[in-house]
Amino acid sequence: MKRTPWSADPSRVGEIPTMISREEQSYLHWLGRTQWRDQGHVVEIGPWLGGSTRCLAEGMLAGKPAARHRLHVFDNFLWREFMEKYAPLGLAPGASFEPNFRRHLAGHEERIVVHRCSLPDEKIPGDAEAEGIRGSEVPDLALFDWNSHEPIEILFVDGAKSWRGMRWLLRRTADALAPGKSLVVAQDLKYWGAYWVPAMLACFLDSLELVHQTERGSTVTFRLVRALSVAQVEALVDDATALPARETLAGLERVAKLLEQAGDKVGAMHVRLSGVQLLLHLGRHKGAAALYEHLQRRWPVRGAK
Ligand SMILES: C[S@@+](CC[C@H](N)C(=O)[O-])C[C@H]1O[C@@H](n2cnc3c(N)ncnc32)[C@H](O)[C@@H]1O
């Protein structure tokens, strides 16, 4: 089978600003069109202005025009300054962009259920970039929740921007994910600035099978092969700054090896590189610099993203 069977699928993002790559847009369309069997809902965490949502929704419509299950999107819809770089809308930081999202998805109201809520994020002392993405306030919004009696067939995650948020999300969705059926689509898996995604999935690798990798983008998808243990999620520390360094780096290495075995050497290095940010969050500055230099010397492609 071709490594990227989604490459001929259209994007469908149209005029909607998006932070995901062209290949990821086609991938989401393909995912909705060919992999979703309407045996559960599609849950999207972090739709932003709806670019990824439109790709998923159009794919779902093309594959199952009379579907029973829905596309549920969850976002705090809080505008952050860094977003202006991707879409100069001139909104004030903290303003809601939910109306923009709804406008962009006009015509899909029947298929999409919009939830305004937040995932909890921990504060990382000294990381201004993390604060820019997560915000400095505690939003006056309900925390994410999901009725575990409603099956989730596809969990697309592009809005868990902290270890705490990722843990909360897994805890709340674990019982709705079905072994052999559900897909966990991790948009940030190969992004060097989001170690918590590969680090957390590394804790559950005996329940997950790698099934799709985008080549131009950071999205990697796993199929659940064994139930996720809620007790195991609950046993994880709640604050990234309390993570055990050696064990967590070893987890990143396990995910990197998986990608390498699947032929993605650069993706594997991005996962290893995320260890630099992990060490910085743990206050291990010397270790972070040493890891950075070590990876720089071993980097497989000069000039790669
Ligand atoms: C990288 S953007 C998603 C990009 C989008 N998928 C696209 O196609 O362009 C991340 C999204 O996650 C949301 N988000 C970030 N942290 C969140 C939190 N703690 N709770 C709820 N939503 C959050 C942001 O508001 C933003 O819409």
Side-chain angles (χ1 to χ4, degrees):
M1 186 181 158
K2 202 173 156 217
R3 263 172 67 112
T4 55
W6 45 85
S7 53
D9 266 57
S11 143
R12 297 290 186 232
V13 92
E15 298 303 307
I16 308 176
T18 181
M19 298 188 200
I20 60 171
S21 72
R22 176 65 179 76
E23 184 188 338
E24 290 172 312
Q25 295 161 28
S26 295
Y27 173 66
L28 292 178
H29 186 274
W30 176 85
L31 198 66
R33 186 174 67 80
T34 67
Q35 306 296 290
W36 179 58
R37 289 163 296 178
D38 190 22
Q39 292 181 358
H41 299 281
V42 178
V43 168
E44 176 178 20
I45 308 297
W48 194 43
L49 291 166
S52 44
T53 313
R54 171 96 76 81
C55 298
L56 277 168
E58 295 270 349
M60 291 164 71
L61 179 62
K64 296 269 177 294
R68 187 169 80 76
H69 296 93
R70 296 283 174 269
L71 169 54
H72 289 260
V73 302
F74 294 85
D75 205 295
N76 59 23
F77 294 110
L78 290 170
W79 196 250
R80 307 287 184 206
E81 221 171 293
F82 84 94
M83 294 173 178
E84 282 289 321
K85 193 172 77 186
Y86 297 91
L89 301 185
L91 292 175
S96 170
F97 57 90
E98 186 180 343
N100 306 64
F101 172 87
R102 287 190 185 269
R103 233 181 357 262
H104 291 150
L105 271 303
H108 282 289
E109 290 84 354
E110 263 182 44
R111 266 169 298 282
I112 300 179
V113 186
V114 183
H115 306 259
R116 187 168 186 208
C117 64
S118 69
L119 287 170
D121 295 315
E122 69 271 58
K123 300 256 171 278
I124 305 290
D127 188 341
E129 198 182 336
E131 183 152 322
I133 292 172
R134 300 172 189 184
S136 48
E137 82 287 89
V138 178
D140 187 18
L141 294 171
L143 287 175
F144 170 89
D145 206 358
W146 181 260
N147 174 357
S148 58
H149 297 299
E150 291 292 335
I152 298 176
E153 193 173 341
I154 296 181
L155 176 60
F156 172 53
V157 187
D158 192 8
K161 301 303 178 189
S162 66
W163 170 270
R164 177 173 289 168
M166 188 73 191
R167 177 178 177 269
W168 183 274
L169 175 66
L170 278 194
R171 167 67 190 85
R172 300 285 150 165
T173 54
D175 284 338
L177 296 168
K181 286 186 185 160
S182 299
L183 296 176
V184 177
V185 185
Q187 199 281 334
D188 282 320
L189 192 111
K190 294 194 277 179
Y191 173 46
W192 58 264
Y195 63 83
W196 48 88
V197 177
M200 188 158 302
L201 295 184
C203 303
F204 302 97
L205 282 185
D206 53 353
S207 296
L208 300 168
E209 172 195 12
L210 192 156
V211 286
H212 312 134
Q213 286 164 264
T214 55
E215 289 177 349
R216 297 195 172 266
S218 45
T219 301
V220 175
T221 298
F222 297 86
R223 187 187 313 285
L224 197 74
V225 288
R226 229 168 270 123
L228 280 188
S229 151
V230 169
Q232 209 183 332
V233 183
E234 281 175 345
L236 297 171
V237 299
D238 183 45
D239 192 309
T241 60
L243 282 167
R246 194 185 298 193
E247 219 177 277
T248 312
L249 286 173
L252 292 178
E253 184 55 31
R254 285 199 297 281
V255 174
K257 280 264 149 50
L258 263 187
L259 294 178
E260 221 161 50
Q261 282 157 12
D264 188 356
K265 282 190 189 161
V266 178
M269 288 301 268
H270 278 269
V271 170
R272 293 186 179 111
L273 187 59
S274 74
V276 172
Q277 190 199 30
L278 164 74
L279 290 173
L280 289 173
H281 283 184
L282 298 179
R284 298 182 174 225
H285 297 104
K286 275 191 187 157
L291 177 59
Y292 180 78
E293 279 169 20
H294 169 73
L295 293 174
Q296 197 181 30
R297 283 195 297 275
R298 291 179 58 207
W299 203 263
V301 186
R302 298 236 168 259
K305 174 188 150 199

